[in-house]
Amino acid sequence: MGQFTSLEARIDAAAHAVLARLPRGRLTDGAVEFLVFGLKQAWACLFGGLMLGMILVTRLWWPEVGLARYDFWFLAALLIQLGMLVFRLETPSEAKVILIFHVVGTGMELFKTAAGSWIYPEEALFRIGGVPLFSGFMYACVGSYMARIQRIFDIRFSHYPPVWATVLLGMAIYINFFSHHFIVDLRWVLFAAVALLYFRSSMHYRVFRFRHRMPMLLAFLLVALFIWIGENIGTWSRAWIYPDQADGWSLVSWSKLGSWYLLMLISVVLVTLVHPPKAYQQNS
């Protein structure tokens, strides 16, 4: 897997030509790393950012054009996905990850909406039961980010747990999303299992000139937090709502942060099945 697509390589070369001319120093180097980190994160979030921006804009203004918002989002998501492939903003392997997340997410949506965990309050032509088809792309946004960030930041791992063990844990987490409706919720056991499996694991990522290190448990938490923020924007836009938001919007429960934290493990496992984790070496 190359680090950049052909378009990204040209952007990277142009950025290097500008940034490499800046004076060196601890303050300057730190500022450049911070700036590039933010720009790369935004680039990795391209699919999700476009989707969330579209949802937010149509919440503020949506003309009566005879097309439901949900259907517009679905068609737009397809066009965005096609455009990212055509203009080489995304690799075919990343598209595979997005497809996997779409299928996994839609399966969860069908069950959760039937169980009353959340609802989609608007009409849609493109839907399966009570689930509009755009919803699978919301999970795909997470998959797109996880796959793109691994490539854009050239992420390597130290003390990465055995992939087979992460697959088993990911399966257990996914099953628990369904089974806790019928038996005891095992999320605290799963949290402990995630901590036990990943407590020594770190990710090593390159921003511009330097590699940086972050414990994977912390990385999961930060990504989960940003997804929770995005979920608040989504529910405020009435893309979907929870039962306690039926009579008016309220902040999404902090307990959902834990759910997204566990989803991070599923996300990482699915990405590693397509892009096996690379081991960190001191000179890499």
Side-chain angles (χ1 to χ4, degrees):
M1 178 178 58
Q3 184 178 359
F4 299 120
T5 64
S6 56
L7 175 59
E8 290 170 344
R10 292 196 295 270
I11 296 173
D12 182 68
H16 270 74
V18 173
L19 295 175
R21 292 198 295 266
L22 295 177
R24 297 295 305 273
R26 178 173 295 183
L27 183 61
T28 305
D29 285 352
V32 168
E33 291 289 300
F34 181 78
L35 173 64
V36 175
F37 178 81
L39 291 174
K40 282 189 172 183
Q41 284 285 351
W43 189 250
C45 292
L46 182 61
F47 187 33
L50 290 173
M51 287 291 294
L52 194 59
M54 177 175 60
I55 288 173
L56 182 58
V57 168
T58 56
R59 170 66 170 85
L60 299 173
W61 179 76
W62 179 248
E64 295 295 333
V65 293
L67 180 67
R69 280 203 312 164
Y70 290 170
D71 293 334
F72 171 74
W73 295 344
F74 172 66
L75 296 173
L78 289 175
L79 289 176
I80 291 171
Q81 180 60 71
L82 179 62
M84 290 182 69
L85 285 171
V86 169
F87 294 105
R88 302 193 177 188
L89 303 177
E90 179 180 85
T91 66
S93 60
E94 288 166 359
K96 293 178 184 177
V97 174
I98 288 176
L99 177 60
I100 293 171
F101 269 76
H102 199 292
V103 172
V104 170
T106 300
M108 185 183 297
E109 289 286 322
L110 288 168
F111 179 85
K112 288 291 190 177
T113 52
S117 297
W118 56 80
I119 63 170
Y120 291 90
E122 300 181 19
E123 294 297 321
L125 177 63
F126 299 107
R127 66 189 304 142
I128 301 176
V131 179
L133 294 185
F134 89 88
S135 64
F137 281 106
M138 303 310 296
Y139 292 89
C141 290
V142 178
S144 174
Y145 171 79
M146 298 299 289
R148 286 164 62 81
I149 198 173
Q150 183 171 329
R151 175 173 57 80
I152 293 169
F153 283 91
D154 189 26
I155 294 177
R156 310 295 174 97
F157 302 93
S158 58
H159 303 293
Y160 195 86
V163 172
W164 65 265
T166 67
V167 170
L168 291 178
L169 181 55
M171 291 173 61
I173 290 172
Y174 190 69
I175 291 171
N176 189 68
F177 277 121
F178 300 89
S179 64
H180 81 85
H181 289 274
F182 310 105
I183 60 175
V184 64
D185 189 351
L186 298 176
R187 70 170 55 202
W188 290 108
V189 176
L190 295 170
F191 282 138
V194 172
L196 183 64
L197 204 57
Y198 284 93
F199 83 99
R200 295 182 63 222
S201 302
S202 294
M203 53 187 290
H204 302 259
Y205 57 97
R206 180 175 298 281
V207 177
F208 180 55
R209 290 190 175 97
F210 310 109
R211 275 201 178 274
H212 306 268
R213 172 185 171 276
M214 180 181 294
M216 292 196 67
L217 293 176
L218 175 60
F220 293 162
L221 178 61
L222 293 176
V223 175
L225 178 61
F226 277 100
I227 295 176
W228 179 83
I229 293 172
E231 188 175 29
N232 276 283
I233 296 174
T235 54
W236 178 80
S237 303
R238 293 187 71 79
W240 65 93
I241 58 174
Y242 291 102
D244 62 348
Q245 296 173 324
D247 297 326
W249 183 80
S250 59
L251 198 68
V252 174
S253 169
W254 282 101
S255 66
K256 295 297 180 183
L257 184 61
S259 299
W260 286 115
Y261 192 93
L262 292 176
L263 182 69
M264 285 303 94
L265 194 283
I266 299 176
S267 306
V268 170
V269 169
L270 290 176
V271 171
T272 56
L273 293 180
V274 179
H275 303 309
K278 297 179 180 179
Y280 170 70
Q281 297 177 347
Q282 195 67 35
N283 58 353
S284 62

